[in-house]
Amino acid sequence: MKKDIFTSKLPHLRKQPQPDAVVQSHVETIQGNGFSWIDIQNPDRAEIVKLGQTYNFNELNLDDSISKIQLPKIDNYDDHSFIILHFPPMVLKRGLPRFNQLAIFIGKDFLVTIHYGDLKPLVEMFAMCKENVQHRSELLGKSPGFLLYKIVDVLVDDLLHTLRRIVANLDEIEDDVFDENKSTPKKISMLRREITILRRVVHPLRKIVLETSKNTQRFSNPEDDLIIHFDDVIDHIDKVAETLDEAKETMEIYKDTDFMLSTEKANKILGVLTIIFTLTIPPSVIAAIYGMNVNLPGGIQTGSWMFLGPYTTLIFVLIISGIPALFMLFHFYKRGWLID
């Protein structure tokens, strides 16, 4: 029988944190029905090495469990399996990983979960098992395989909450796209980025969960058909993947719609400015002609043009400047350029 080394803290095996360290490793164990659930948050190298020595895990798998750049996978051995699953982060920020990694070792008498504390549903699930006897009996009263199913199930259910938020954001963007007073390109780009990240996480997740359902039955009781349980989880993943694919197509439509509406709005503005500039051409031409130092009809050099008073010349210039502008307005109206 293996000696359980994770029931108590082993400070002499841990690396001493640096003065500026913020996150510390956290290891706890809960005893189930003939097996132990060992949860390691923010894994420490010394604890991972001790874990491998106790359960004879593959050294490469141990390295993968604390690496943040691994792809989802499942490795099967005679007495245990090693699984890496990725789930989307709750908040996307610059400089943070695009996924939260969960590494799992599962055998007949143990289930080890290794993560960095970002999977809130898993953290809450473990805390409830510690505090609530009934909840612990429901989750750890059967087998490691059944507990693994419940862990994956609660994390996939959290994906559904994220999906609802995506759909709500889609509806909000749809309203904003047709609101001329709101700018949507940044919102569209941010949501497209989030959908892309989710799709990169969800599509591999389905494949790994499907393989897990086929390979973890050996770590469960004969009466527990894990394939049926995992089929329900896979259905949820399929729903999430399908909705994300539809959301991606919808975002492309909104992007094209926003581009067309923005182009139309810019064309209207340019049209108005062009008409205004065009109407100023006749006055500019007339003003340039009458600004010459030559005798012209109505000019100040012509003394007989005083029948409208001292401003006869100004009035005359304005009239001959306005006549072409009025003809241009009439032509624009007939062509339909002034109709919205």
Side-chain angles (χ1 to χ4, degrees), residues 245-311:
D245 291 339
E246 294 176 356
K248 180 179 180 296
E249 295 177 2
T250 303
M251 288 304 302
E252 295 298 326
I253 294 174
Y254 289 166
K255 178 179 71 76
D256 294 340
T257 302
D258 181 70
F259 176 76
M260 289 187 296
L261 293 176
S262 299
T263 302
E264 182 183 7
K265 183 178 180 181
N267 289 339
K268 288 181 179 180
I269 295 174
L270 290 175
V272 172
L273 294 176
T274 301
I275 289 174
I276 293 174
F277 173 75
T278 304
L279 294 178
T280 61
I281 293 177
S284 300
V285 173
I286 300 300
I289 294 175
Y290 275 83
M292 298 178 182
N293 190 22
V294 295
N295 292 330
L296 294 171
I300 58 175
Q301 298 89 352
T302 308
S304 59
W305 286 73
M306 297 293 291
F307 53 86
L308 294 178
Y311 298 105

Side-chain angles (χ1 to χ4, degrees), residues 178-212:
F178 294 97
D179 190 342
E180 294 185 356
N181 297 322
K182 293 185 178 180
S183 177
T184 57
K186 184 176 181 180
K187 291 183 179 180
I188 291 175
S189 300
M190 294 296 292
L191 189 55
R192 287 181 67 200
R193 173 172 172 259
E194 187 171 2
I195 291 174
T196 301
I197 292 175
L198 287 174
R199 292 179 74 243
R200 290 208 310 252
V201 170
V202 170
H203 286 288
L205 179 64
R206 184 190 187 282
K207 177 182 177 182
I208 300 302
V209 172
L210 181 60
E211 294 183 17
T212 300

Side-chain angles (χ1 to χ4, degrees), residues 33 39 45 48 81 119 123-124 127 142 144 149 177 184 282-283 294 302 315 333:
N33 182 21
D39 184 66
R45 168 64 66 176
I48 296 299
S81 292
L119 299 171
V123 174
E124 294 172 358
K142 293 187 176 182
Y149 150 71
V177 163
T184 57
V294 295
T302 308
I315 295 172
Y333 177 79

Side-chain angles (χ1 to χ4, degrees), residues 62-322:
L62 293 171
D63 291 338
D64 292 344
S65 67
I66 58 177
S67 173
K68 295 184 178 181
I69 58 174
Q70 292 302 314
L71 296 175
K73 68 175 183 177
I74 176 171
D75 294 336
N76 295 306
Y77 301 92
D78 293 337
D79 59 344
H80 72 278
S81 292
F82 174 67
I83 307 167
I84 286 184
L85 299 174
H86 288 172
F87 294 92
M90 296 185 64
V91 180
L92 292 174
K93 292 183 179 179
R94 180 178 296 180
L96 293 181
R98 298 294 183 264
F99 57 83
N100 293 328
Q101 178 172 296
L102 172 62
I104 302 168
F105 290 96
I106 181 172
K108 274 290 186 179
D109 57 352
F110 63 85
L111 177 69
V112 182
T113 53
I114 303 173
H115 56 99
Y116 286 88
D118 298 321
L119 299 171
K120 298 302 180 184
L122 176 59
V123 174
E124 294 172 358
M125 182 179 181
F126 191 87
M128 289 184 64
C129 286
K130 287 197 308 179
E131 299 169 0
N132 191 308
V133 177
Q134 181 180 356
H135 194 73
R136 180 166 64 248
S137 176
E138 292 175 357
L139 294 178
L140 285 80
K142 293 187 176 182
S143 64
F146 182 79
L147 176 59
L148 175 59
Y149 150 71
K150 297 298 292 185
I151 291 175
V152 175
D153 184 48
V154 73
L155 291 173
V156 171
D157 284 344
D158 190 60
L159 269 177
L160 296 176
H161 298 309
T162 303
L163 189 64
R164 295 189 188 100
R165 178 173 56 82
I166 294 291
V167 173
N169 290 338
L170 278 174
D171 295 337
E172 181 182 350
I173 287 180
E174 180 182 6
D175 295 334
D176 292 347
V177 163
F178 294 97
D179 190 342
E180 294 185 356
N181 297 322
K182 293 185 178 180
S183 177
T184 57
K186 184 176 181 180
K187 291 183 179 180
I188 291 175
S189 300
M190 294 296 292
L191 189 55
R192 287 181 67 200
R193 173 172 172 259
E194 187 171 2
I195 291 174
T196 301
I197 292 175
L198 287 174
R199 292 179 74 243
R200 290 208 310 252
V201 170
V202 170
H203 286 288
L205 179 64
R206 184 190 187 282
K207 177 182 177 182
I208 300 302
V209 172
L210 181 60
E211 294 183 17
T212 300
S213 67
K214 298 176 181 178
N215 291 283
T216 55
Q217 180 65 47
R218 58 193 175 124
F219 306 123
S220 178
N221 300 326
E223 63 272 14
D224 294 331
D225 191 352
L226 289 184
I227 294 181
I228 295 179
H229 292 303
F230 274 106
D231 281 346
D232 182 62
V233 176
I234 293 173
D235 287 341
H236 289 169
I237 297 176
D238 287 339
K239 180 180 178 181
V240 173
E242 181 180 350
T243 305
L244 287 175
D245 291 339
E246 294 176 356
K248 180 179 180 296
E249 295 177 2
T250 303
M251 288 304 302
E252 295 298 326
I253 294 174
Y254 289 166
K255 178 179 71 76
D256 294 340
T257 302
D258 181 70
F259 176 76
M260 289 187 296
L261 293 176
S262 299
T263 302
E264 182 183 7
K265 183 178 180 181
N267 289 339
K268 288 181 179 180
I269 295 174
L270 290 175
V272 172
L273 294 176
T274 301
I275 289 174
I276 293 174
F277 173 75
T278 304
L279 294 178
T280 61
I281 293 177
S284 300
V285 173
I286 300 300
I289 294 175
Y290 275 83
M292 298 178 182
N293 190 22
V294 295
N295 292 330
L296 294 171
I300 58 175
Q301 298 89 352
T302 308
S304 59
W305 286 73
M306 297 293 291
F307 53 86
L308 294 178
Y311 298 105
T312 300
T313 300
L314 175 62
I315 295 172
F316 179 77
V317 171
L318 291 177
I319 291 175
I320 62 176
S321 299

